[in-house]
């Protein structure tokens, strides 16, 4: 596959100061343009960066995540649990996942890549419920935070949230992060019990609980961008 055949999306951003290029399995090539740059310049921008585009495509291919490539992984490493799972795929009459201690067997009807992603997401949420809920309750007890409950889902867009009744929702994708980052997300939600916004009082409270909060901000953003494609797959994304 050549990068010429990958779909290109142009995004206009009032915040961008310069041109940004991204290539991801789920969205193809994205070009983020500041308002002062005309869309007519996009073809020449791509030509100028073709070396980067080729390198990025090779990198994604290595991970089995090039646009249009099978997005299902051969291995899954969950840093929070310090565990690695190998994944094997077999053809079967219906989509099924059998989970062992270190290996997963996924049975899929021919061509049903999306079903595989859905099964893996369900497995991830199950593992998240086992480990993240206990972890969150333990931290709540340790810090004396009166949370209303904890739930784990595979939501898009955010690592966690805190409802008006102080129910904390944690993203199962947190299992891909290191323990200090997961702790920071949980403490972030704890601070919402007292502060409902991200104002200066909230920030001060979170920095008191976790002095490394500011240092983690960039890492959290990177971690989200680098999550495996299958964790973000939604029915209708066109891989099926
Ligand atoms: Zn928040």
């Amino acid at each position: 596959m050549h990068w010429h055949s990958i779909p290109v999306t142009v995004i206009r951003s009032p915040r961008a100061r310069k041109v940004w290029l991204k290539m991801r399995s789920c969205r193809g090539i994205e070009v983020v343009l500041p308002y002062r740059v005309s869309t007519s310049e996009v073809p020449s921008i791509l030509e100028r960066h073709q070396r980067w585009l080729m390198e990025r495509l090779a990198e994604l291919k290595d991970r089995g995540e090039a646009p249009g490539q099978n997005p299902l992984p051969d291995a899954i490493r969950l840093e929070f649990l310090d565990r690695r799972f190998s994944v094997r795929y077999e053809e079967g009459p219906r989509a099924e996942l059998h989970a062992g201690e270190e290996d997963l067997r996924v049975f899929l009807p021919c061509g049903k890549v999306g079903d595989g992603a859905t099964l893996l997401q369900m497995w991830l949420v199950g593992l998240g419920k086992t480990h993240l809920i206990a972890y969150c309750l333990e931290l709540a007890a340790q810090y004396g935070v009166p949370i209303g409950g904890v739930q784990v889902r595979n939501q898009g867009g955010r690592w966690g949230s805190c409802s008006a009744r102080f129910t904390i929702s944690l993203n199962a994708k947190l299992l891909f992060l290191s323990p200090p980052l997961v702790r920071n997300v949980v403490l972030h939600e704890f601070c919402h019990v007292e502060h409902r916004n991200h104002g200066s009082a909230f920030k001060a409270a979170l920095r008191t609980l976790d002095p490394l909060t500011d240092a983690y901000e960039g890492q959290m953003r990177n971690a989200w961008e680098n999550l495996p494609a299958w964790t973000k797959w939604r029915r209708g994304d066109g891989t099926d």
Side-chain angles (χ1 to χ4, degrees):
M1 190 206 307
H2 192 276
W3 66 267
H4 277 138
S5 60
I6 300 173
V8 178
T9 309
V10 177
I11 299 160
R12 291 223 155 255
S13 165
R15 281 185 302 165
R17 298 224 184 95
K18 53 177 188 160
V19 175
W20 285 96
L21 284 183
K22 294 181 187 177
M23 189 196 292
R24 285 182 282 176
S25 62
C26 46
R27 303 210 187 132
I29 297 169
E30 291 177 285
V31 187
V32 183
L33 290 184
Y35 277 123
R36 63 183 163 75
V37 180
S38 154
T39 48
S40 64
E41 287 186 63
V42 169
S44 65
I45 290 168
L46 292 174
E47 283 306 321
R48 269 208 308 283
H49 292 89
Q50 50 175 315
R51 186 152 163 201
W52 181 87
L53 289 164
M54 274 149 64
E55 281 168 8
R56 177 72 179 144
L57 180 58
E59 185 189 320
L60 288 174
K61 270 186 184 159
D62 279 348
R63 298 193 337 221
E65 292 178 15
Q69 201 179 353
N70 181 345
L72 297 179
D74 294 327
I76 298 171
R77 184 169 148 57
L78 300 177
E79 210 178 335
F80 181 68
L81 303 177
D82 193 18
R83 282 173 74 179
R84 188 183 178 284
F85 299 84
S86 61
V87 195
R88 278 191 300 146
Y89 301 90
E90 287 166 50
E91 209 177 313
R94 65 187 153 265
E96 262 174 17
L97 184 148
H98 298 232
E101 276 301 299
E102 288 179 351
D103 56 277
L104 307 176
R105 284 174 76 194
V106 179
F107 296 89
L108 293 174
C110 187
K112 291 284 185 186
V113 170
D115 284 355
T118 305
L119 284 173
L120 289 171
Q121 288 180 9
M122 283 161 58
W123 165 78
L124 189 71
V125 169
L127 215 53
K129 283 183 174 161
T130 305
H131 297 279
L132 293 170
I133 291 178
Y135 178 72
C136 183
L137 292 173
E138 204 180 290
L139 274 190
Q142 187 185 330
Y143 287 91
V145 183
I147 59 171
V150 195
Q151 57 183 33
V152 171
R153 293 180 296 142
N154 184 40
Q155 62 267 56
R158 40 165 64 175
W159 292 112
S161 61
C162 177
S163 79
R165 295 183 166 192
F166 308 143
T167 297
I168 293 184
S169 292
L170 297 176
N171 198 316
K173 299 182 191 76
L174 285 167
L175 294 172
F176 284 94
L177 303 190
S178 64
L181 291 185
V182 176
R183 179 173 174 273
N184 186 264
V185 170
V186 173
L187 295 177
H188 176 119
E189 301 312 332
F190 284 178
C191 289
H192 280 317
V193 171
E194 181 101 27
H195 311 279
R196 302 303 299 167
N197 52 36
H198 293 122
S200 53
F202 167 88
K203 283 190 175 131
L206 181 54
R207 282 191 196 112
T208 307
L209 292 181
D210 191 348
L212 289 174
T213 295
D214 294 334
Y216 291 149
E217 229 170 73
Q219 289 182 45
M220 300 293 305
R221 247 194 321 272
N222 273 341
W224 187 273
E225 297 256 315
N226 287 316
L227 283 166
W230 63 265
T231 63
K232 298 178 182 174
W233 187 88
R234 289 278 177 268
R235 201 157 285 285
D237 275 1
T239 29
D240 223 344

